[in-house]
Each structure stands twice: as C-alpha cells, then as structure tokens.
Amino acid sequence: MKFTWVECRPNCRGWVSAVGIVTSDTPKDFEDFARGRQLGGATLVLDSSGGSVNDSITLGRRFRGLGMLTTVGISVVNHTQQGDRASIAPEAFCESMCVYLLLSGTARYVPPTAHVRVHQIWMGDRADDAKAASYTAQDLTIVERDIGRLAKYTFDMGGAGDLLALSLNVPPWEDLHELTPAELRLTNVVTTDRVADVLPRNDPSGAIAALKSKSVQERFVNVEAETDTTARSTKTAEATAAVAPAPADK
C-alpha cells in the first residue's frame, strides 16, 4: 500500500491517499510516511483490494489512534491555469481487509458509486484453488485465531457482528459480496451520509474537495506504479502462519 499526502489548501486541509494491497511492510511504511506530519484527525481515502489480516488490524488500530476519518475514492489532481486542484473520484474499490481499514475511521463515508466488497479469511497461498488444496490442523488453528482477532477488532472499532457474518459467508471460490447501502448501515461501516463530515472544506461550493467523477488516467498516484497492487482482488484476506508463513488474503 502506498501513502500520499494530497494538498488542497486553501480550500481544505488535504487528505491521505492509501492505494494498494496491505503487506507485512505496510505498517512500517505508514510510520515512515507519518513521521513529521500532523495526521491527527486527518482524512484517509482508500482504494485497495485488501491484504494481510494481522497487518491490516495493526494499521487500522494506528488509524483509530490518530482519530482519522475514512472514505473510499481515487485521489486525482487537475492541472489548471490557477494551479493544481485536488479532488476525489468516487468510483473506487475497497475490498476484503480494506473494509476493516475503512471501519477504523471515527467517521466513515462511502460514496454511492463506490464498491465495498467482503469475503472470507483464507490461507493466502491456497486461495487460487482453495477447494483442491490440502489443509492441516495447524492451518485451521491459524485461521480460527485470525478470525478471533478480526472479531475483536471489529467490535473495538464500533462495527457490528453482521459485518463478520456477511464476510465469513463468502468462500474464496465465490465472487466477493458487495455491501448494499442498507448493509453498509447495518454493519456500521458507514456512519454518515454527508461527505462534509469526512472532508471538511472552507470552499462552500465544494469545487475542489467534493467527491466527483474523474477518469482513471487522472489518478493522483502513478497508474503504472499501482498496477500490481490494485488491479486484482486478493480473493481472501490473508491469514499469516506463526511458524511457516502461509499468508491468508482477504
């Protein structure tokens, strides 16, 4: 996952763009990014297909500790004669463990055209052909352990058990389940219908900070650099073995 600060002064404070898959390096990458920045209460804009369960939990707790606000979108910059203008395209994806990062926000908004999708935790190295793979008792223990950690995290973040029920009902050989507006409310993933609650702005017209449609080619983060991390779903949230690494993707 790549973190970028998107500046939009004087019309709004700016926000953190988080794009890509969560790996074991991501928590440290965020700490490196956050060093020297005042991120307390900042907005986090997510565009991710998920990744490691435990590293996402670590990251989500860090976000909550900073009191961050969360939403889904693609950060873009328009180059105008008056200078660069930042905005957010709402046609983005937040899948698998990204949903739990979204849950870390003290206020959470999902645009109507964004896609928030969930599925089961699984051993990441066997998610491509989960039915044909073999599993040991230790593998099952790892998955059960990570489900417990995820459940505690969900409740600590103020999420509902319905989120776990919906996620754990979708095996890796089925398509991800896209949460409906009603389910986003039921699971408490969404806490507000007002974009201004997560992207406060000084410009009453919202011309700069408003969520609006932009082409994929206008992404703020370099498209080529993120191809390997955002173009595909991870199929399952990665559960990671304590002894022999066996990442479980989500």
Side-chain angles (χ1 to χ4, degrees), residues 41-119:
T43 297
L44 180 73
V45 180
L46 293 157
D47 179 26
S48 170
S49 58
S52 166
V53 173
N54 289 311
D55 293 300
S56 294
I57 289 173
T58 298
L59 201 58
R61 291 193 183 281
R62 181 72 168 104
F63 295 157
R64 176 57 64 90
L66 288 168
M68 299 186 83
L69 316 173
T70 54
T71 187
V72 180
I74 299 170
S75 298
V76 297
V77 171
N78 299 316
H79 304 290
T80 70
Q81 291 182 344
Q82 292 73 35
D84 292 346
R85 298 298 181 92
S87 61
I88 298 173
E91 296 91 346
F93 291 81
C94 184
E95 300 177 329
S96 186
M97 285 309 296
C98 175
V99 181
Y100 294 89
L101 294 180
L102 178 63
L103 193 64
S104 71
T106 56
R108 307 181 285 273
Y109 171 78
V110 173
T113 55
H115 305 278
V116 178
R117 298 172 173 174
V118 296
H119 56 180

Side-chain angles (χ1 to χ4, degrees), residues 9 15 26 69 71-72 102 108 118 162 176 215 217 238:
R9 290 178 182 175
W15 59 83
T26 304
L69 316 173
T71 187
V72 180
L102 178 63
R108 307 181 285 273
V118 296
D162 299 274
L176 279 71
S215 68
Q217 287 73 20
E238 295 192 355

Side-chain angles (χ1 to χ4, degrees), residues 1 18 30 54 82 88 99 103 121 124 126 141 146 148 166 169 176 201 218-219 222 235 239:
M1 177 171 280
F30 179 74
N54 289 311
Q82 292 73 35
I88 298 173
V99 181
L103 193 64
I121 288 176
R126 276 155 281 186
T141 299
D146 287 356
L166 288 166
N169 195 46
L176 279 71
R201 55 185 179 266
E218 292 179 297
R219 288 190 180 194
N222 182 273
K235 288 196 174 179

Side-chain angles (χ1 to χ4, degrees), residues 159-230:
D162 299 274
L163 177 59
L164 292 167
L166 288 166
S167 299
L168 298 176
N169 195 46
V170 184
W173 51 85
E174 293 184 6
D175 292 337
L176 279 71
H177 172 72
E178 183 159 338
L179 298 179
T180 66
E183 288 171 337
L184 287 169
R185 279 290 186 183
L186 176 68
T187 56
N188 210 30
V189 168
V190 163
T191 63
T192 180
D193 293 325
R194 300 176 64 248
V195 63
D197 288 341
V198 297
L199 281 173
R201 55 185 179 266
N202 300 324
D203 179 4
S205 69
I208 295 180
L211 289 173
K212 58 183 181 178
S213 298
K214 293 293 174 185
S215 68
V216 174
Q217 287 73 20
E218 292 179 297
R219 288 190 180 194
F220 180 81
V221 180
N222 182 273
V223 175
E224 292 182 0
E226 65 183 26
T227 299
D228 292 338
T229 57
T230 59

